[in-house]
Amino acid sequence: MTPKRLFVLNAAIAGFYGVALLVFTDPILDIYGIDANPDGVYMARWFGLGLIATGLTTWLARDAADSPGGRAVGRALAVTYGIGVILALWGTLSGPFNALGWVAVGLNLLLGSSFAWLEFILPRTSSASRS
């Protein structure tokens, strides 16, 4: 996968979940088994806003994904999604998520490992262009 395609994929997934959490907060929390109390709904909306920001960042930077700035964004997302895997695992195994939490684990693992591959592994194995 090229860096540009990964940026577009990330924009679509983050944007979709961000809008869903912002607009359909209660049903989304309910699907994942999280109590939709007022505090939780408020924080989920902030999380949705953060996902929208991440999606917009990667969408708007898609044409510069292989530039130094784009690679910096990719490295930041690799680390962020790596931490997300840990949080999603905790949330699924012993935290607030029900079995659908495995979707969060999978998405964080997919995106995190993809960004890590492009930003940390691929540059070491190939000096050619990553497009």
Side-chain angles (χ1 to χ4, degrees):
M1 176 174 291
T2 65
K4 181 177 181 174
R5 286 186 182 157
L6 182 55
F7 271 47
V8 170
L9 176 65
N10 185 77
I13 292 171
F16 171 79
Y17 271 94
V19 169
L21 277 169
L22 198 61
V23 178
F24 305 108
T25 313
D26 288 348
I28 297 295
L29 290 178
D30 189 48
I31 288 170
Y32 280 92
I34 297 173
D35 183 29
N37 63 46
D39 294 338
V41 169
Y42 179 76
M43 291 309 297
R45 287 185 176 139
W46 275 106
F47 178 60
L49 181 62
L51 286 173
I52 290 170
T54 300
L56 281 171
T57 299
T58 52
W59 176 256
L60 296 173
R62 69 191 181 280
D63 291 327
D66 207 24
S67 71
R71 288 191 297 273
V73 170
R75 285 190 297 274
L77 289 174
V79 171
T80 301
Y81 284 124
I83 295 167
V85 169
I86 296 166
L87 288 174
L89 271 171
W90 172 82
T92 303
L93 295 174
S94 62
F97 285 156
N98 57 23
L100 205 59
W102 289 110
V103 171
V105 174
L107 287 173
N108 278 276
L109 187 59
L110 169 74
L111 293 168
S113 60
S114 296
F115 278 109
W117 174 260
L118 285 176
E119 301 306 328
F120 299 120
I121 307 300
L122 191 59
R124 287 189 219 146
T125 60
S126 171
S127 60
S129 173
R130 298 185 305 162
S131 54

